[in-house]
């Protein structure tokens, strides 16, 4: 499968713990995005990478959130000191250059208990 | 800031019939892109159709077409000959010409009745 893959698909964690998610974009795609989707809502933009550079961050991305994309390949999203409000689906998407279409992964569903 | 509004949380359609999903948006930009994405249960979001704002002609992809009214800032999706596989959550999304990220509406859950 050459689509966007995310790992894990599901994560249950206790409040206060740190969690890390991984996204592997389509191999030739230089742009990578993270979105958060809560139940009954559309995805909300979190952050965007072009190659290894993090070019934009949403105000939603508090200082407990950090994202990296070393070497411009896979990306990780870490949430420190998780809170119940962090429970959501975290979606990763990738795109190539000037193309308009973003390809999404299946997401990581985080539940904070 | 741009906003996207989908005022129909749920819609249903009989198989083989036609359904229209509504979307309005607010922007001060003159050049932008609009999209409809489909999110089936437990599966990834896929692009259904897109429209460039500078194009007057409405986009069409097989059974899917849009009615783009730039002055009214309206972007509806028409699904003809609905099939059971069309059942999904549909999101309308906006992207400015310069910005890279998408701004999504809250979605419309489409049910297709056999």
């Amino acid at each position: 499968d050459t689509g966007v893959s995310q790992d894990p698909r599901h994560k249950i964690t206790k409040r206060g713990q740190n969690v890390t998610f991984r996204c592997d974009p389509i191999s030739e795609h230089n742009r990578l995005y993270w979105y958060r989707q809560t139940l009954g809502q559309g995805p909300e933009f979190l952050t965007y990478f072009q190659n290894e550079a993090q070019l934009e961050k949403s105000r939603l991305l508090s200082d407990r959130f950090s994202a990296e994309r070393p070497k411009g390949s896979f990306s990780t999203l870490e949430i420190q000191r998780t809170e119940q409000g962090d429970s959501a689906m975290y979606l990763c998407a990738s795109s190539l250059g000037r193309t308009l279409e973003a390809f999404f992964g299946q997401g990581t569903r985080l539940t904070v208990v | 800031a741009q906003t996207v509004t989908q005022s129909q949380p749920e819609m249903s359609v009989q198989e083989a019939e036609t359904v229209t999903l509504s979307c309005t948006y607010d922007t001060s930009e003159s050049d932008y892109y609009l999209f409809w994405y489909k999110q089936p249960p437990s599966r990834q979001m896929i692009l259904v159709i897109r429209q460039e704002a500078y194009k007057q002609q409405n986009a069409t992809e097989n059974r899917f077409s849009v009615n783009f009214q730039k002055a009214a800032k309206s972007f509806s999706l028409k699904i003809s000959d609905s099939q059971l596989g069309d059942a999904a959550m549909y999101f309308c999304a906006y992207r400015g010409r310069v910005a890279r990220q998408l701004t999504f509406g809250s979605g419309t859950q489409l049910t297709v009745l056999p």
Side-chain angles (χ1 to χ4, degrees), chain A residues 26 28-33 35 48-50 93-104, chain B residues 33-35 37 47 50-52 54 95-102:
Chain A
I26 294 173
E28 65 268 25
H29 285 187
N30 59 338
R31 292 177 177 164
L32 187 145
Y33 314 79
Y35 291 84
Y48 154 63
F49 289 86
Q50 182 161 311
S94 69
S95 68
L96 175 63
R98 293 176 178 268
T99 62
L100 293 175
E101 183 172 359
F103 293 80
F104 283 81
Chain B
Y33 310 97
L34 295 165
F35 306 83
Y37 275 86
L47 179 65
R50 67 169 183 251
Q51 174 81 41
E52 289 88 342
Y54 64 86
R95 203 200 94 175
R97 190 182 71 82
V98 176
R100 297 289 175 249
Q101 70 270 24
L102 296 165

Side-chain angles (χ1 to χ4, degrees), chain B residues 38-41 83-90 109-113:
Chain B
K38 169 185 177 180
Q39 188 177 41
Q83 301 175 0
L84 294 177
D86 295 333
M89 181 73 86
Y90 285 82
Q109 181 68 51
L110 178 67
T111 300
V112 181
L113 304 169

Side-chain angles (χ1 to χ4, degrees), chain A residues 25-64:
Chain A
I26 294 173
S27 59
E28 65 268 25
H29 285 187
N30 59 338
R31 292 177 177 164
L32 187 145
Y33 314 79
W34 284 98
Y35 291 84
R36 182 172 68 186
Q37 184 178 19
T38 52
L39 201 61
Q41 298 298 316
E44 297 173 294
F45 170 73
L46 292 178
T47 191
Y48 154 63
F49 289 86
Q50 182 161 311
N51 300 313
E52 67 276 8
Q54 187 174 20
L55 296 186
E56 192 162 347
K57 292 193 291 185
S58 162
R59 287 173 297 174
L60 291 176
L61 211 67
S62 76
D63 55 7
R64 296 185 298 106

Side-chain angles (χ1 to χ4, degrees), chain B residues 35-103:
Chain B
F35 306 83
W36 279 98
Y37 275 86
K38 169 185 177 180
Q39 188 177 41
S42 302
R43 296 186 61 187
Q44 66 261 51
M45 201 157 356
I46 58 173
L47 179 65
V48 174
I49 197 166
R50 67 169 183 251
Q51 174 81 41
E52 289 88 342
Y54 64 86
K55 291 185 177 179
Q56 293 187 339
Q57 187 171 5
N58 289 324
T60 300
E61 288 287 343
N62 300 314
R63 298 183 295 106
F64 298 87
S65 62
V66 299
N67 183 5
F68 173 48
Q69 301 289 327
K70 190 172 184 179
K73 295 180 182 175
S74 170
F75 182 61
S76 61
L77 174 70
K78 185 171 82 171
I79 306 173
S80 304
D81 186 25
S82 297
Q83 301 175 0
L84 294 177
D86 295 333
M89 181 73 86
Y90 285 82
F91 291 100
C92 178
Y94 170 101
R95 203 200 94 175
R97 190 182 71 82
V98 176
R100 297 289 175 249
Q101 70 270 24
L102 296 165
T103 299

